[in-house]
């Protein structure tokens, strides 16, 4: 996804490990926002606003993924809360953002950051509506929802879930990790957990915005084979 | 791109040849029932006579959607199915010519090879049969060429290409769906052995997931919008029955379960006759599995699909599977490097395959010989179909003609538009049948003694109407199969056609 954002010149919300900066640029930006719990994402947007380009290095950094549901929810709660903070900060003056990042950059920012937040929040509401519609067999919903909305929703339901599952299925092939392919079929569970994290994030944003929920590491028993040493040319 | 443009002469010849052959086939009434139903449905949908839910749930989806869209965009009377089929064949000419040139084959040999494979009798039959057959051929082409890349690399783009090809096959033609199912056991042979050894089942999941998901989504849509979503389970029965009758005459046996085995043998023989280049090349390079496996998978899947189609009776006429022959030949010429050094041999085999394809066509579709002879002597073939076309033509300018267009879709084709006809899609039609009362300005029905008339819903509800007419209505048109009555207050504009 990141190479795609780079190619479209959309601000890249930095994240995770393996970010490399020029210290002069960091100083010019006056460092990072210590109150934002995804300060790296915020930094990526500010870099783009200052006219700097974030490049993607085609390399691999192995890190431990959150492999327990509660740990995963805590980590995603922090990420979504940070995205909310970043979104609120940078959309205070939307015209300035359009001027500094361009219309495409602004749109990409709203869809990528705002869309991530909104999808997590709206997902359970839509599923509940859908369950209600299934039970009622459309009888009570027809006057409320015009047919065009039914077609759009149907497209989103099928194309969205199908594409997301398939992308999760295809991604491990690039690495040759074919054993992960069947797990892509559980992607609906991912949506559910993300919604739990999104509502926790919303709650924390209101009552405890700067709390940093630390991710507990050293949980996974999986060991990645050591990266082969670099061969020096004779 | 520039290389592909050089194929323009062959592509233009293909385009015009298909348009002429399709027009001839339509004029003498030799278009398949499935193609006529699809075109009539698309005309009705393009005229806004079909609810959008039924358009979305129509099967085979791709040709129906394409024909409906073109019907909507083009003037009334445009032969949209022929236009789509000819365009796809021209596109295939460009694609194969470019692939031949990219594989190092010279201009003249590439032009000749394009003509011999893309104007192969099986291709021309598919093009004349209609857009469903040509969408099937297009995705079979993608499938056959994608298998080479899958066997070579098995990376994400190659997996996605095969996934797309299988989805396209399933939604372009019922036999495509059969081919898709039949190919699943062979797919593992298409994956790079190093990967297949680790997680073979997982790779197959990734290859078939798009198709399985799309079939599930389509079933769901069919449930949400009650319509024709499940029609593929019943509609092709007629075409399969016609094929079975022809094949039974050829092999001298009644349609039995053994006919599925006969179909497999006929398909294998027809493929070998239609693509001798594939047979000789695979034998010669049999030890080079990366080059042998892809065409072998296509051939095995086609034979298995024939068994599946005839054995289950769910997927229609298997004769379209012969289109795999020129595609196999073309893919081998594109991908097997030895072919560049044996150009004369390759061209000779392609020419032999063209002649063998004509013989293979007689084996796979025994009816075609009779049809071709009748077309040559300008004999009218399907009497009921031709009469329905004439009735449709006679209704031009009339509004409110009650007629069973589901049973006789050729009426819509003859009229060239559906608006003005009151068919089973229309609530007025259902009410007339339900309450046994007709007040439409016109009512048309077929002779109950004819094959069409025996299935006519109006005949069933009004058994005496064809013979005796009805009070307040007068006969305004008739041909050998059809009669049309007009309400007494309608002006007698068709009196001269009685």
């Amino acid at each position: 996804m990141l190479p795609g954002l780079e190619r479209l010149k959309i601000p890249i919300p930095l994240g995770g490990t393996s970010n490399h900066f020029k210290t002069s640029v960091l100083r010019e930006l006056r460092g990072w926002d210590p109150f934002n719990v995804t300060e790296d994402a915020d930094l990526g947007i500010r870099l783009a606003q200052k006219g700097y380009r974030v490049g993607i290095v085609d390399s691999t950094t192995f890190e431990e993924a959150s492999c327990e549901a509660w740990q995963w929810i805590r980590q995603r709660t922090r990420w979504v809360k940070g995205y909310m903070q970043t979104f609120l900060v940078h959309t205070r003056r939307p015209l300035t953002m359009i001027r500094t990042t361009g219309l495409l950059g602004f749109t990409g920012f709203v869809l990528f950051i705002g869309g991530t937040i909104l999808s997590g929040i709206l997902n359970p509401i839509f599923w509940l509506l859908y369950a209600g519609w299934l039970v009622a067999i459309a009888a009570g919903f027809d006057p409320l929802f015009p047919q065009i909305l039914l077609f759009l929703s149907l497209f989103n339901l099928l194309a969205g879930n199908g594409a997301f599952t398939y992308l999760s299925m295809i991604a491990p092939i690039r690495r040759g990790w074919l054993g992960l392919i069947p797990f892509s079929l559980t992607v609906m569970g991912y949506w559910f957990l993300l919604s739990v994290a999104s509502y926790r994030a919303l709650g924390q944003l209101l009552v405890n915005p700067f709390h940093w929920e630390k991710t507990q590491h050293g949980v996974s028993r999986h060991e990645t084979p050591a990266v082969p040493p670099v061969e020096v040319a004779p | 791109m520039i290389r592909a443009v050089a194929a323009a002469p062959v592509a233009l010849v293909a385009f015009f040849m298909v348009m002429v052959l399709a027009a001839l086939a339509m004029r003498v009434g030799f278009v398949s029932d499935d193609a006529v139903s699809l075109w009539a449905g698309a005309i009705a949908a393009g005229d806004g006579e079909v609810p959008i839910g039924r358009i979305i749930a129509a099967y085979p989806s791709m040709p129906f959607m394409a024909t409906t869209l073109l019907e909507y965009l083009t003037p009334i009377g445009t032969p949209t199915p022929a236009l789509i089929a000819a365009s796809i064949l021209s596109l295939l000419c460009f694609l194969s010519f470019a692939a031949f040139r990219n594989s190092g084959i010279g201009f003249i040999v590439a032009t000749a090879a394009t003509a011999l494979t893309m104007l192969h009798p099986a291709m021309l039959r598919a093009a004349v049969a209609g857009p469903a057959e040509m969408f099937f051929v297009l995705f079979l082409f993608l499938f056959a060429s994608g298998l080479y890349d899958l066997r070579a690399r098995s990376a994400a783009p190659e997996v996605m290409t095969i996934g797309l090809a299988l989805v396209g096959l399933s939604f372009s033609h019922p036999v495509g769906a059969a081919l898709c199912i039949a190919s699943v056991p062979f797919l593992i042979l298409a994956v790079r052995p190093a990967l297949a050894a680790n997680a073979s089942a997982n790779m197959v999941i990734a290859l078939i997931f798009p198709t399985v998901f799309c079939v599930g989504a389509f079933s769901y849509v069919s449930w949400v919008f009650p319509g024709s979503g499940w029609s593929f389970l019943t509609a092709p029965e007629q075409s399969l029955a016609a094929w079975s009758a022809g094949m039974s005459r050829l092999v001298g046996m009644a349609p039995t379960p053994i006919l599925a085995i006969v179909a497999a043998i006929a398909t294998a023989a027809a493929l070998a006759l239609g693509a001798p280049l594939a047979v000789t090349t695979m034998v010669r390079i049999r030890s080079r599995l990366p080059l042998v496996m892809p065409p072998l998978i296509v051939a095995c899947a086609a034979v298995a699909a024939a068994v599946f189609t005839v054995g289950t009776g769910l997927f229609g006429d298997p004769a379209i599977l012969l289109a795999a022959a020129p595609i196999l030949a073309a893919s081998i010429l594109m991908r097997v490097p030895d072919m560049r050094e044996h150009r004369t041999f390759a061209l000779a085999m392609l020419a032999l395959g063209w002649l063998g394809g004509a013989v293979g066509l007689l084996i796979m579709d025994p009816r075609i010989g009779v049809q071709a002879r009748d077309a040559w002597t300008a004999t009218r073939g399907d009497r009921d179909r031709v009469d329905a076309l004439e009735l449709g033509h006679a209704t031009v300018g009339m509004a409110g003609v009650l007629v069973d267009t589901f049973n006789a879709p050729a009426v819509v084709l003859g009229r060239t538009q559906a608006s003005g006809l009151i068919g089973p899609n229309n609530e007025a039609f259902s009410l007339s049948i339900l309450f046994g009362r007709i007040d439409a300005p016109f009512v048309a029905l077929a002779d109950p003694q004819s094959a069409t008339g025996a299935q006519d819903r109006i005949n069933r509800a009004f058994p005496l109407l064809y013979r005796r007419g009805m009070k307040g209505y007068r006969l305004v048109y008739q041909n050998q199969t059809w009669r049309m009555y007009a309400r007494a207050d309608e002006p007698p504009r068709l009196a001269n056609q009685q």
Side-chain angles (χ1 to χ4, degrees), chain B residues 307-384:
Chain B
V307 175
F308 205 57
T309 301
V310 178
T312 62
L314 292 175
F315 300 95
D317 180 351
I320 180 63
L321 288 167
L322 184 59
I327 288 173
L328 279 173
S331 67
I332 281 182
L333 193 58
M334 287 167 197
R335 299 302 185 110
V336 178
D338 305 35
M339 289 297 106
R340 287 167 224 157
E341 295 151 20
H342 301 95
R343 291 171 194 173
T344 313
F345 170 77
L347 277 185
M349 284 291 114
L350 288 179
L352 194 62
W354 199 97
L355 296 171
V359 179
L361 211 51
L362 292 173
I363 295 172
M364 282 293 283
D365 190 1
R367 297 161 297 167
I368 207 160
V370 180
Q371 290 180 339
R373 188 192 62 215
D374 288 351
W376 183 256
T377 56
T379 307
R380 287 178 164 190
D382 186 342
R383 182 74 252 168
D384 282 12

Side-chain angles (χ1 to χ4, degrees), chain B residues 83 100 233 246 297 310 374 489 495:
Chain B
L83 208 56
F100 290 143
L233 290 173
I297 290 167
V310 178
D374 288 351
D489 57 355

Side-chain angles (χ1 to χ4, degrees), chain B residues 137-228:
Chain B
V137 170
L138 181 65
F139 285 104
L140 189 60
F141 182 86
L142 183 67
F143 182 65
S145 52
L147 283 176
Y148 281 96
D149 298 325
L150 185 68
R151 176 75 192 197
R153 283 198 345 126
S154 296
E158 288 78 39
V159 172
M160 291 166 79
T161 302
I162 295 299
L164 174 70
L166 291 176
V167 172
L169 281 169
S170 299
F171 286 89
S172 59
H173 194 284
V175 174
L179 186 77
C180 181
I181 297 167
S183 68
V184 171
F186 303 105
L187 285 177
I188 199 60
L189 300 173
V191 179
R192 200 152 53 90
L195 284 177
N198 290 334
S200 53
N202 292 354
M203 275 302 271
V204 174
I205 289 174
L207 288 167
I208 65 170
F209 173 79
T211 307
V212 173
F213 185 86
C214 287
V215 169
F218 183 73
S219 306
Y220 174 73
V221 170
S222 302
W223 175 73
V224 173
F225 303 107
S228 56

